Amino acid sequence: MSPDGLRRSVRLFRAFLVEQTEPDHFYGTLARDSADLVEQQMSLRGKLVVDVGAGPMEFAQEFRRRGARYMAVDLDPDVPALADGGVAAGAAALPFASGSADLVFSSNLLEHVRSPQVVADELLRIARPDGLVFLSYTNWWSPWGGHETSPWHWLGGRRAIARYTRKHGHPPKNRVGETLFKVSVAWGMRWAHRTPGVRVVSARPRYLPRWAAFIVRVPVVREVLSWNLLLLVRREDRESPRQD
């Protein structure tokens, strides 16, 4: 069976189910899978990896285990990934020179920023020519688009917040319009295919098998079935034709 096939998807979804109760297992599984996807394109040994919106320590451990020079960036200076060296900074203005990173990695950050275009462009800016940008986010209309308020966000974000608050006695961490924003698969595909200097390596649902990549090309359907959009792109010095 392909290492990027159905067995992989089952493993990821099983880990996803225990995100709240066993976060170490979930993030460890996701970190290993993310590094595997990157290493299909380039070796991580000796490469500078800038992880924007770093959060959990598991990604730092996995990238370093594979020989990468890992730098964590997060707005919150108290997140675990910054404990072993990193930078507290906003994703819209990264304190790195243009073209300085071999891999710019951002996992599940974009749905938490007000200006995804600004952040995505900033990730691209700090990637070196021919460097990789790994950009993944949960789209709003996916089954997990409302995060812990899902699937009630399908009936409205504010209604989902109110329901969660009544049930649990406190508001959710992820609140639409405050700490969670409605970003679509369509937006990500437009950014990847229309931004000068971007060559698309892979555009696909992150948790699904490789053969399911066609889903992200189907309007409306992709917003529900993708769950999480993965964009793996290379930065180019000059504008070139986009892959469809």
Side-chain angles (χ1 to χ4, degrees):
M1 182 177 291
S2 166
D4 204 9
L6 186 59
R7 183 176 296 173
R8 165 187 171 268
S9 296
V10 171
R11 181 172 65 250
L12 288 172
F13 275 111
R14 283 177 174 170
F16 177 80
L17 292 175
V18 296
E19 177 188 5
Q20 299 299 315
T21 57
E22 301 178 46
D24 292 351
H25 174 66
F26 170 70
Y27 287 114
T29 300
L30 193 59
R32 288 189 296 274
D33 183 75
S34 300
D36 286 344
L37 292 175
V38 170
E39 290 206 310
Q40 291 176 8
Q41 304 300 324
M42 72 176 192
S43 170
L44 284 165
R45 185 160 300 278
K47 300 298 193 302
L48 176 60
V49 175
V50 177
D51 184 354
V52 182
M57 180 63 77
E58 285 76 11
F59 289 91
Q61 294 169 338
E62 185 63 29
F63 281 115
R64 286 174 176 150
R65 186 181 70 81
R66 299 191 188 211
R69 295 179 292 127
Y70 177 88
M71 175 64 69
V73 182
D74 200 281
L75 187 61
D76 183 354
D78 296 321
V79 298
L82 267 63
D84 193 27
V87 178
L94 296 170
F96 297 93
S98 297
S100 57
D102 297 293
L103 169 66
V104 185
F105 184 84
S106 181
S107 176
N108 296 324
L109 167 70
L110 211 64
E111 70 266 36
H112 300 292
V113 301
R114 291 183 180 275
S115 302
Q117 179 79 43
V118 172
V119 171
D121 288 349
E122 186 70 350
L123 300 178
L124 183 65
R125 178 188 69 80
I126 69 169
R128 65 167 175 78
D130 204 39
L132 288 174
V133 177
F134 182 111
L135 178 58
S136 174
Y137 62 89
T138 303
N139 48 296
W140 174 251
W141 290 112
S142 81
W144 191 243
H147 287 44
E148 69 267 45
T149 68
S150 300
W152 302 100
H153 69 293
W154 280 335
L155 301 179
R158 290 298 169 190
R159 182 177 296 180
I161 291 172
R163 181 186 182 279
Y164 182 96
T165 303
R166 288 196 303 271
K167 181 177 180 179
H168 296 278
H170 60 84
K173 175 183 176 181
N174 296 286
R175 301 178 300 279
V176 65
E178 300 176 42
T179 57
L180 181 66
F181 300 91
K182 298 179 180 181
V183 61
S184 66
V185 174
W187 176 86
M189 296 295 285
R190 285 195 301 271
W191 177 83
H193 287 281
R194 297 181 185 179
T195 301
V198 169
R199 177 164 60 88
V200 178
V201 175
S202 181
R204 55 184 284 196
R206 183 177 187 179
Y207 302 130
L208 300 185
R210 184 188 297 274
W211 54 258
F214 74 92
I215 290 173
V216 302
R217 299 173 184 161
V218 184
V220 181
V221 171
R222 62 190 175 189
E223 301 298 340
V224 178
L225 296 186
S226 290
W227 280 79
N228 187 291
L229 177 65
L230 168 62
L231 296 171
L232 188 60
V233 306
R234 288 194 183 276
R235 177 186 169 186
E236 296 186 329
D237 278 338
R238 63 183 183 277
E239 190 172 354
S240 60
R242 304 284 176 263
Q243 296 178 2
D244 293 327

